[in-house]
Amino acid sequence: MDALRVQYANLELVENQQLHKTEGLSSTAALVVRRGQPFKFTAVFNRPYRPNRDALILRVELDRLYNDIPITYSKDSSQSQWAAYFQQSSLDSGKTSVCVNCPANAPVGVYQLQLLLMSSAGPYSFKVGQFALLCNPWCPADSVYVPDESQREEYVRNDFGLLYQGTAKNINFRPWSFDQYERGILDICMMMLQVSNEHKANWRSDYLSRADPVYISRVISAMINSSDDCGVLLGNWAEDYTGGVHPSEWSGSGEILRQWAQTRFSPVKYGQCWVFAGVMCTVMRVLGIPTRVVTNYDSAHDTNGNLVIEEFYTETGEKLPRGQDSIWNFHVWVECWMKRADLGGSFDGWQVLDPTPQERSGGMYRCGPAPVKAIRERRMGMPFDIPFIYAEVNADVRVCIVRQGQVLSYSTDTGRVGSLICTKSIGSNRPQDITSTYKYGKGSTPAVATSSRSAEGLSVMLTLLKAPVMGGSISFSVTVTNKENTPKTVREHVNAQAKSYNHTPSDAFWEAHNTIQLAPNESKVLQHQISYSRYAGLGDGQLVNLAAVVMDVATQESILASEEFNLSSPVINIRIADEVSIVAQRQQVAMVTFSNSFSEPVSGVLTVVGAGLLDDKVLFNVALQPGESMEIPVNFTPKLPGVKMLHASLKLNDSAAVIRGFRTITVQSA
């Protein structure tokens, strides 16, 4: 009888990937599956298989580690062990299907699959192929299991999102394409594990540790930034982006990850917090770990750990660059869903991970995973990095007015830091307020931009009269009240400073000074307006720090009210004639429109991107006179069914502003 040989093997890609919810994920490993769930392959032999003469063993290899699994006729197997069995009794014909059970705690990685045939003719091996093994949020035995299907769709399979910026009282959106279904992205994410410091230090320990999403997320948190390793992104907050890309110009993760891989892991220039978070969300979703991007408004960076952030103003209301601590108008990180067996299981659920390089954790720039529940309960002794994150959402703010180095007066604000924490809602483009998951007794932030302070003899209130819009005037009022029964002479100093979300403001670009007389217990309202020409040079995402200091001339008592706000930009509109008829593999047309609402001509480059809709970005040169409109057709062909996003951005030539718009599109099966 001839020796048993394999003539052909088929990994049954379409069937397996539909069952494993991995359709669209592309890899050189061909097959992409999730652990804790069986997959099958078909083998054709040169003759019928004879159990009494032949022995079949399945070898599953992860680099130099392997498991040899006897292929049996029994379907009984444990989810904690590798197993293989014949799925159908067609062995007499020389063709059979083999079902492979992957343990729910198997290490994530790229595996080789071999058939080892033991017969009287001697041993023989046949390479069946490669498969990429991911975590499985659909499997109850997996430590990333999420019971709700809508959450799995949003936090694992959705390939676009909205990253929220601006301020808590005027939230701005930034569309972001996670690009996990783009060609080569899965391979790059797997390679990120291979080039990590942990893998270089001890490859065996690294492979075995990849069974645990706590370990995986900590490795990826370090690898997204390039501060200690050959990580993906180089951070830059210096306002000089020579030799790279301004962080505001990125629109998705795919371009960044491909550039990193193509340059043999040289850091991509440049990233800031939302870019780090967007790229990390992509990697974690690709690896099968449910992930969402989170924005913390008025985020504290408490370097000395005393939970107090000090801010200093001159007696005329100019904010000073003093102190090591800071408050970012917003800071963006990610949350990943996983069990925490290392913490006894009572802290399962959402975990904070922050790849933005701020402080070292275990000798490297990374942060987390820290259970959101532990942050809320102030469990400072738990891993990882809970004290730092707790301060980001809970520190007090002490605002001091100084003259020649001496503090004239100060006030303490206990509610400003962590004023709003939000993420994209499931199946919606609205922000979801999740502040109460981090802090007790916190709800939504008021929408009215008003700041008020009161002292013994005076009170002052600063109020924006309308939401500031780029191109229009900034209108606000300062209300001064004499709280005593004697008249007062009061000096009012108001100034506006431009600032980045994470920096102390620059010099004032506008100021006003007034002397007013107040009768006993009288209030006066002073109206102010800043024209567009005074702030036209503000860059994309820049904010305004507006401060009013009122001083009693007789007593020198000073009191300050301040407000930091962003200016809303005009919006690009995208419309599709017949949205209900959008089907996969059929060309469609989107109309991209924009009207120049500025008082001067604008010109720039319009970029349109869409993961799963466009093969590459589409660029148009735009030049518009005041009041003039454009309408540009963009052809696109959806690759797969599902909800997708078209994103348009207009980068102006004579301004650092970027104007954006997006539209979500539901693609039906062909």
Side-chain angles (χ1 to χ4, degrees), residues 356-512:
T356 298
Q358 295 182 89
E359 299 287 337
R360 282 189 167 90
S361 173
M364 299 180 68
Y365 278 105
R366 57 186 167 190
C367 183
V372 172
K373 181 181 178 183
I375 296 166
R376 190 171 189 252
E377 295 181 2
R378 200 174 181 178
R379 299 293 188 95
M380 299 299 198
M382 284 188 172
F384 296 92
D385 311 305
I386 290 173
F388 181 77
I389 303 168
Y390 181 87
E392 287 185 297
V393 300
N394 283 293
D396 293 340
V397 184
R398 181 176 295 143
V399 180
C400 305
I401 302 175
V402 297
R403 177 199 296 161
Q404 297 178 348
Q406 300 297 313
V407 176
L408 300 179
S409 65
Y410 72 88
S411 60
T412 301
D413 190 337
T414 60
R416 176 175 156 197
V417 168
S419 58
L420 173 66
I421 306 170
C422 66
T423 187
K424 178 183 176 297
S425 297
I426 295 175
S428 165
N429 294 326
R430 296 188 303 272
Q432 176 189 353
D433 185 347
I434 57 172
T435 313
S436 62
T437 64
Y438 284 81
K439 308 170 71 168
Y440 286 103
K442 290 294 292 183
S444 299
T445 300
V448 179
T450 300
S451 174
S452 61
R453 291 290 182 269
S454 183
E456 185 175 342
L458 288 171
S459 70
V460 60
M461 182 170 66
L462 187 156
T463 304
L464 289 172
L465 300 180
K466 60 182 179 180
V469 178
M470 183 68 73
S473 297
I474 300 171
S475 299
F476 66 98
S477 66
V478 176
T479 304
V480 184
T481 301
N482 179 3
K483 297 168 62 179
E484 296 182 333
N485 295 322
T486 56
K488 289 183 183 293
T489 300
V490 173
R491 290 202 181 106
E492 179 218 32
H493 305 283
V494 192
N495 73 66
Q497 298 167 267
K499 75 180 297 289
S500 296
Y501 73 100
N502 65 314
H503 280 175
T504 300
S506 57
D507 293 339
F509 62 80
W510 175 92
E511 59 185 69

Side-chain angles (χ1 to χ4, degrees), residues 272-584:
Q272 291 183 4
C273 66
W274 70 89
V275 185
F276 289 110
V279 174
M280 182 162 184
C281 185
T282 295
V283 178
M284 301 307 283
R285 287 187 183 183
V286 166
L287 298 180
I289 300 173
T291 305
R292 62 188 186 184
V293 181
V294 170
T295 300
N296 175 40
Y297 285 98
D298 297 303
S299 186
H301 187 167
D302 181 24
T303 57
N304 59 12
N306 67 350
L307 293 177
V308 176
I309 309 296
E310 291 187 317
E311 295 184 334
F312 298 91
Y313 286 80
T314 67
E315 57 188 322
T316 58
E318 188 170 354
K319 196 172 186 179
L320 298 171
R322 285 193 184 180
Q324 296 298 312
D325 294 347
S326 61
I327 296 177
W328 295 15
N329 293 87
F330 64 86
H331 181 45
V332 186
W333 57 63
V334 302
E335 290 178 359
C336 295
W337 181 276
M338 64 188 73
K339 292 179 181 177
R340 292 300 301 269
D342 58 318
L343 301 180
S346 59
F347 291 91
D348 297 346
W350 290 115
Q351 316 285 320
V352 173
L353 285 140
D354 190 351
T356 298
Q358 295 182 89
E359 299 287 337
R360 282 189 167 90
S361 173
M364 299 180 68
Y365 278 105
R366 57 186 167 190
C367 183
V372 172
K373 181 181 178 183
I375 296 166
R376 190 171 189 252
E377 295 181 2
R378 200 174 181 178
R379 299 293 188 95
M380 299 299 198
M382 284 188 172
F384 296 92
D385 311 305
I386 290 173
F388 181 77
I389 303 168
Y390 181 87
E392 287 185 297
V393 300
N394 283 293
D396 293 340
V397 184
R398 181 176 295 143
V399 180
C400 305
I401 302 175
V402 297
R403 177 199 296 161
Q404 297 178 348
Q406 300 297 313
V407 176
L408 300 179
S409 65
Y410 72 88
S411 60
T412 301
D413 190 337
T414 60
R416 176 175 156 197
V417 168
S419 58
L420 173 66
I421 306 170
C422 66
T423 187
K424 178 183 176 297
S425 297
I426 295 175
S428 165
N429 294 326
R430 296 188 303 272
Q432 176 189 353
D433 185 347
I434 57 172
T435 313
S436 62
T437 64
Y438 284 81
K439 308 170 71 168
Y440 286 103
K442 290 294 292 183
S444 299
T445 300
V448 179
T450 300
S451 174
S452 61
R453 291 290 182 269
S454 183
E456 185 175 342
L458 288 171
S459 70
V460 60
M461 182 170 66
L462 187 156
T463 304
L464 289 172
L465 300 180
K466 60 182 179 180
V469 178
M470 183 68 73
S473 297
I474 300 171
S475 299
F476 66 98
S477 66
V478 176
T479 304
V480 184
T481 301
N482 179 3
K483 297 168 62 179
E484 296 182 333
N485 295 322
T486 56
K488 289 183 183 293
T489 300
V490 173
R491 290 202 181 106
E492 179 218 32
H493 305 283
V494 192
N495 73 66
Q497 298 167 267
K499 75 180 297 289
S500 296
Y501 73 100
N502 65 314
H503 280 175
T504 300
S506 57
D507 293 339
F509 62 80
W510 175 92
E511 59 185 69
H513 307 276
N514 294 290
T515 300
I516 57 175
Q517 305 295 326
L518 291 174
N521 301 306
E522 182 185 14
S523 292
K524 283 190 176 179
V525 179
L526 292 87
Q527 306 285 347
H528 297 283
Q529 186 167 282
I530 305 173
S531 65
Y532 171 61
S533 62
R534 301 300 296 271
Y535 70 84
L538 290 184
D540 182 51
Q542 279 197 295
L543 300 102
V544 174
N545 181 273
L546 190 63
V549 171
V550 174
M551 183 183 71
D552 185 331
V553 172
T555 66
Q556 298 289 292
E557 177 186 38
S558 296
I559 185 170
L560 176 144
S562 64
E563 189 72 38
E564 290 185 347
F565 59 88
N566 53 307
L567 291 98
S568 299
S569 294
V571 176
I572 296 172
N573 292 305
I574 302 174
R575 72 175 193 276
I576 299 166
D578 190 4
E579 290 190 85
V580 297
S581 66
I582 299 176
V583 297

Side-chain angles (χ1 to χ4, degrees), residues 635-649:
N635 296 322
F636 66 96
T637 303
K639 297 176 184 176
L640 294 169
V643 181
K644 307 296 177 185
M645 181 181 70
L646 272 177
H647 169 209
S649 59

Side-chain angles (χ1 to χ4, degrees), residues 191-208:
M191 186 55 64
M192 196 175 298
L193 295 170
Q194 297 296 105
V195 300
S196 69
N197 285 356
E198 287 82 356
H199 189 79
K200 293 174 182 176
N202 189 328
W203 63 269
R204 181 184 295 272
S205 173
D206 174 62
Y207 278 133
L208 296 175

